[in-house]
Every structure is written in C-alpha cells, then in structure tokens.
Amino acid sequence: MNTNAVIRLMSLLSIWMWTGQGLIFQPELSPSDLQGKITSNTVTLKQPYCVFNKTCDGCVIWLVAALSSENRTFDSQLTTSAPDVLNKSPYPRAFEPLLWDFFVTKVGPLADFPCSQSSNDVYFRVGAEGKCSGTNCNGILPVGSNVSFKYLLINADNLIIVNASDWSESIHLKTNQNPQSINDGLSARSAAMIVITSILSVAAALLLLLFFIMLCVAYCGRSKDISQGQATSPMKVMNSIRIPHYDTHSLRGKAHPYDNPGYVSEGKNYSTSETLPKSGIQTQKL
Amino acid sequence: MGAGVLTCLMVVVIILNAIAAAAGLALFAVAIWVAVDGYKLYPISGVSGKDDIFAAAWIAIFTGFAFFLTCIFGIFAALKRSRALLMAYLIIMFIIFLFECASAITAVTNRDYLVGNSNLVKKQMLQYYADNSTRGKDITQTWNRVMEQAECCGTDGPKDWLEYDSTFRQKFGTTFPWPLNCCKRLSNFEVEDPEGCIVGKSSAMFTKGCFQYIESVLSRYTWAVSWYGFAVLMFVFFTLVIAMIYYMQLD
C-alpha cells in the first residue's frame, strides 16, 4: 500500500511538472470541419500531438474512454502497472451495470506524434471498430451518455504507466430521437393554393350563373311575348304552299278581259266616228 | 342584331375555340410529362399515401384531350350557326371545366402536404430507408438515386442521420453513421474516401440536404398541372362567355 501511494504521488508530481509547459494536456475534440464529430456512439478526437513532451523509447499512447461519472473511480484504481488497467475492463462488457464503465484502446506509438508535426487534418475516432470484441478494441460508446477521455503513456517494454494526462471535458453524446416524434402533419397552406382554389371556385360558380342567365334570356323572354298575341317573328307553318299571286279566273293572255265581244249596238249613231272606240266593234248603216 | 355583327361574333368564337383547342392539347402533353415522372420521385409521395399530384395529372390528361376535341366541335357548331349544337358544346365544356378545376386544386393542395416543410420527407426517410419491406426498397432506391444525382445527404443535412434513430441506424449504426451514397464518388463509382466519409470530412461527402431538390421537383410537377391548368381554365372561361353571347344572338 505504501509503495502504491508513493508511486501515485510521483506520477501526480510528474503531471504537475508538465502542465506548466503550455501543452494541451488532455484529449480534445478534433477542430477540423467534420460532420459527425459527436454522434450518439462515437467521438472524433484530435490525435495526441504535443500532449506528452517526454522522450521515451518504446512508449505507446493509450486512450481511456470512461463515463464522466466514473472518472474519480478510475483515478483511484490507477496504478503504475499497465496490465492492471489494460485488462481490467474488456470492451464488449465494459459498460454493463456493475462493471467498470471504461475501456482502454491503443492510439499509437509516442514517436508518431512529435510536436513539430502537429496537424489538424488527422483525427482519432473513438468507436471506429463498432461493436467489436477483440482485446482493447476501439468500440462504440453507450448511446447518449456523458463520456470523458484520458491519455495514458505506457512503456511497452516494461509495461509501466509512465504518464497520464488530465481528463478531457465531459462530452455529452447525442441521444437519438424517435422519428415517430416528428410531426408530419400539414404545416401551412401556401399562397398559391389559396389563390388557385378561390379564383377557380368563383369562376365555376360564375359560369354556372351566366349559363342560367343565358337560358333565361333566350327562352323565358320569348314565351312572354307570344302570350300577348304578337309573334316577334313570322309564323312558320308546316305543309302550306306560299305563292306570290293568285286569281280566281284564268284571264292571262286577253287584252281587254272585261269587254263582251257579242254585244250588238241599237243602230243609232249618237256619236261620230272619231269618238267611237276604234277597235273590235262593227258599225251598221241604218 | 345585324348579320355583320353575328358573323364577327362567329369568327371570334371560332378563333377562341381554336386557341383553346391548342391550349387543351398542350395541357394534355404537360400532364403526360408529369404522369411519366421523369425524375422518378413517385415513391416519396406514393409511400405516404399522398400521391394526389399524380392523380391530378391523370385527370388533366383526360380533360386536356377533352378540351381539344370539344373545342373542335365548338368550331363546327359555330360555323353551323345551330343553337342545339352550341348548347351541347356549352354543357360539355362546363363539365370538363369542373373536372379541370378539381385537378388544379387537388395538385396544389397536395403539394402543401408533401413538401410544405421537410418533416414528412424526413420521417419517411428515417423510417423506410434500408427497411426490408417493398416500401422500404422503393424509398431506398429513390433516395440512393437522389443522393447521387443531387449530390446531397439526408433531408436537411447529414445531421438528420445523427439526431434521429432510424431503420438504417438500427441495422448499420455501429459502423456507418450515414449511408454510403452520401459519400463523394469517383467517375468509376467507387467511393473516393471511405474513411473520410465515415468520419464526416466535408471534402469526402455531401453536406447539403436533399429536401431542396425534392421540393423543387415536386413543385415543378405541381405548377405544371395546377398553374397551367388555371391559365387554360381562365381562357376557357372567357371563351365560354363569348360563346354564350353568340348563342343568345342566334335564332
């Protein structure tokens, strides 16, 4: 127990020594333009450039992903012996109730992350391996939980935890909303719909009205006039003959139709020959 | 009324009917274009049961052709100066007028339900994309095509896939946050940068939403049927009023 306490104190001291150097001594979200930095079960972090400035051959950076509520529990369990931490909480069951609520996964050798080559284009996605089951695999986090991260610098040769960074800020993972909660009812009526509907309804009604007015004017007006005894137009009668002129006697072809040619005069000449009609009548000598 | 005015009215009626016949034929053609659905977006309205835009297009096909035939009959009736034929023409035109009104109003009302805002399209996408049913297959194929052609992801953006649970997330959510069709592809159809796409790099995937494209296509269909139908109806209204005046002047 005493050696444990001393070692813990030493590691804390070494941490304090390095925090004053202007390093960002904790895992951070990637600053680049990514669409899904925080999803419901993954987080995209910056790669650990410039976190540990120590030179240490054979040292490897590991990441601890834990529920934010379990940060202190993890710290209190932290010894310098790496296998303790690495094997304590195997991934697939790590977040089940009554277990440790953290897992540890490898990020990369310290030599791969020199401060001078710091770049924001690269990233480390926690949860990249999905629902995996290998030892210390990079599995997905519990949906909607609050998680924090910590880097551990572990010497691969003698399996000692050389250094441990601070905990990152607590990151709240998104909870997935139920799509049934989306209200897909009618949102609003557009202006076009109101214009078209109203104008067309009025037009149809107007057309019907004009149609009836036309029928009234064309037919109702005429029946009124007939009842007053005057036809407004000539009567048409079926089956009668219309001819322009008709006479009772057939007198065509005669010059003086009403003269009687058998008339004989009494013989007295009361008038001279100049006054008598000249044609068609014989005068007898008395 | 003098014979000269009657002849003038007859000529006007004939000309208006000729133009209305041409307009009716054009309505027929435009409605066929909508019904054929060149953009292949029918499943989005069909799956939700609100496919009245296409129903209105079918009605417009019939009314457009009927306008064409009846207006030609109207030209014949006007030439004959026959009241009986003109009366038949007026009644038939009025019935077609009512049907075309129904088509225009239906199309524009239904559009508001479908694409008034992005909620219905989003809910449908989340429910049916990658679903195993026939509806699911239709929606999946439609969305895959839309995402490729319009270069977009999700309804309002890729965030739709992250914010909401979905059939897709339940099947593939541990590996893919969004469908691979959201990723930029090379000309040989391979994904350009699968890792970058999964993590969300803006250079490796499409970041705009597909709703704008879907809304513009469905609006285009709607305006073709309803606004053009409205224009034809206004012209036909005017033609029928003149025809009624002509009818009253005939003996």
Side-chain angles (χ1 to χ4, degrees):
Chain A
M1 274 302 267
N2 274 339
T3 41
N4 268 349
V6 168
I7 290 170
R8 217 181 298 138
L9 205 58
M10 276 181 59
S11 53
L12 279 174
L13 266 174
S14 61
I15 290 170
W16 290 335
M17 273 168 59
W18 291 114
T19 41
Q21 300 261 345
L23 299 170
I24 302 165
F25 200 51
Q26 63 181 90
E28 273 196 328
L29 275 185
S30 172
S32 40
D33 176 23
L34 296 175
Q35 292 295 320
K37 272 189 244 185
I38 303 175
T39 69
S40 61
N41 53 14
T42 66
V43 177
T44 307
L45 300 171
K46 249 182 1 186
Q47 289 206 337
Y49 288 101
C50 256
V51 178
F52 298 108
N53 222 358
K54 229 171 177 162
T55 44
C56 161
D57 287 337
C59 277
V60 179
I61 301 182
W62 290 70
L63 181 80
V64 180
L67 294 185
S68 301
S69 51
E70 302 300 311
N71 285 359
R72 250 165 270 154
T73 320
F74 179 82
D75 280 337
S76 61
Q77 308 266 347
L78 186 63
T79 64
T80 49
S81 163
D84 275 352
V85 170
L86 292 181
N87 300 328
K88 195 165 220 162
S89 181
Y91 174 67
R93 305 188 51 211
F95 292 100
E96 283 175 21
L98 299 182
L99 287 181
W100 298 108
D101 289 337
F102 72 88
F103 67 89
V104 187
T105 186
K106 188 194 286 199
V107 181
L110 178 61
D112 283 353
F113 304 110
C115 210
S116 52
Q117 289 178 16
S118 172
S119 159
N120 282 336
D121 288 339
V122 288
Y123 47 83
F124 180 75
R125 189 163 166 253
V126 182
E129 291 178 33
K131 257 187 142 64
C132 55
S133 52
T135 39
N136 299 123
C137 67
N138 188 358
I140 49 175
L141 303 161
V143 169
S145 48
N146 292 320
V147 289
S148 328
F149 304 100
K150 189 194 239 293
Y151 288 126
L152 295 177
L153 192 61
I154 296 182
N155 191 332
D157 300 327
N158 51 14
L159 291 179
I160 290 182
I161 299 179
V162 175
N163 207 342
S165 75
D166 295 334
W167 284 104
S168 72
E169 289 159 3
S170 173
I171 296 172
H172 176 65
L173 298 177
K174 291 191 200 275
T175 37
N176 290 327
Q177 296 175 42
N178 188 354
Q180 303 296 331
S181 67
I182 302 177
N183 176 20
D184 60 351
L186 181 66
S187 54
R189 300 204 177 276
S190 62
M193 178 259 165
I194 292 180
V195 164
I196 288 181
T197 310
S198 51
I199 294 184
L200 284 184
S201 315
V202 167
L206 211 58
L207 209 55
L208 199 59
L209 191 67
L210 288 176
F211 188 70
F212 285 130
I213 290 178
M214 173 194 86
L215 285 180
C216 259
V217 169
Y219 293 110
C220 306
R222 184 178 334 164
S223 59
K224 205 164 44 134
D225 280 336
I226 286 177
S227 67
Q228 288 173 1
Q230 288 175 13
T232 52
S233 60
M235 223 161 33
K236 289 188 179 52
V237 183
M238 298 289 286
N239 296 328
S240 66
I241 312 166
R242 293 170 61 183
I243 53 176
H245 185 69
Y246 185 71
D247 285 333
T248 44
H249 301 293
S250 177
L251 300 171
R252 223 175 285 179
K254 304 225 159 85
H256 292 273
Y258 295 106
D259 285 346
N260 183 2
Y263 171 75
V264 177
S265 79
E266 292 169 41
K268 291 180 184 163
N269 279 336
Y270 292 109
S271 52
T272 58
S273 60
E274 290 83 36
T275 58
L276 279 175
K278 290 282 186 308
S279 58
I281 294 179
Q282 278 186 326
T283 55
Q284 285 185 335
K285 242 184 142 179
L286 294 169
Chain B
M1 274 246 143
V5 180
L6 196 64
T7 314
C8 173
L9 210 51
M10 179 185 84
V11 168
V12 167
V13 168
I14 289 176
I15 290 177
L16 288 180
N17 269 316
I19 299 176
L25 205 58
L27 180 65
F28 170 69
V30 162
I32 287 184
W33 171 73
V34 173
V36 162
D37 188 21
Y39 292 99
K40 299 218 183 348
L41 285 186
Y42 177 76
I44 291 186
S45 54
V47 160
S48 60
K50 296 187 183 8
D51 60 349
D52 290 337
I53 296 181
F54 297 96
W58 277 102
I59 297 179
I61 291 179
F62 289 114
T63 56
F65 195 64
F67 269 141
F68 171 68
L69 291 179
T70 315
C71 286
I72 292 185
F73 172 68
I75 294 179
F76 173 69
L79 279 173
K80 273 268 187 184
R81 299 184 194 228
S82 146
R83 269 198 165 189
L85 290 180
L86 216 47
M87 174 60 79
Y89 162 78
L90 286 173
I91 292 176
I92 296 176
M93 281 295 267
F94 184 65
I95 294 173
I96 303 174
F97 188 94
L98 287 181
F99 274 102
E100 180 56 34
C101 274
S103 160
I105 294 176
T106 303
V108 77
T109 310
N110 200 252
R111 176 206 164 268
D112 287 347
Y113 276 106
L114 269 185
V115 291
N117 62 13
S118 60
N119 287 349
L120 187 134
V121 175
K122 189 190 299 197
K123 186 170 183 177
Q124 203 183 68
M125 174 187 85
L126 294 169
Q127 265 184 295
Y128 288 110
Y129 189 90
D131 194 17
N132 244 342
S133 54
T134 31
R135 289 179 171 188
K137 277 198 208 103
D138 285 338
I139 292 286
T140 309
Q141 277 175 349
T142 307
W143 270 94
N144 282 344
R145 196 183 312 118
V146 168
M147 287 195 279
E148 272 170 52
Q149 283 178 354
E151 296 189 351
C152 55
C153 181
T155 308
D156 292 324
K159 298 234 174 345
D160 292 340
W161 294 110
L162 303 176
E163 277 171 27
Y164 290 94
D165 195 10
S166 56
T167 312
F168 175 80
R169 173 165 283 272
Q170 282 171 4
K171 289 197 173 159
F172 305 108
T174 52
T175 29
F176 299 107
W178 38 66
L180 277 180
N181 283 69
C182 286
C183 306
K184 288 193 181 159
R185 290 176 186 263
L186 304 168
S187 45
N188 65 356
F189 202 64
E190 271 178 34
V191 177
E192 204 177 301
D193 182 5
E195 291 301 317
C197 180
I198 290 179
V199 99
K201 274 194 187 163
S202 304
S203 58
M205 64 180 286
F206 308 124
T207 50
K208 77 174 183 203
C210 294
F211 179 68
Q212 205 189 4
Y213 171 79
I214 294 174
E215 189 262 333
S216 75
V217 168
L218 288 177
S219 290
R220 209 174 299 169
Y221 286 163
T222 307
W223 301 152
V225 172
S226 65
W227 277 119
Y228 183 62
F230 178 78
V232 170
L233 284 175
M234 288 296 102
F235 186 77
V236 163
F237 177 83
F238 181 63
T239 306
L240 289 181
V241 168
I242 305 283
M244 283 192 232
I245 296 177
Y246 179 61
Y247 179 90
M248 286 196 289
Q249 303 311 325
L250 279 184
D251 42 274

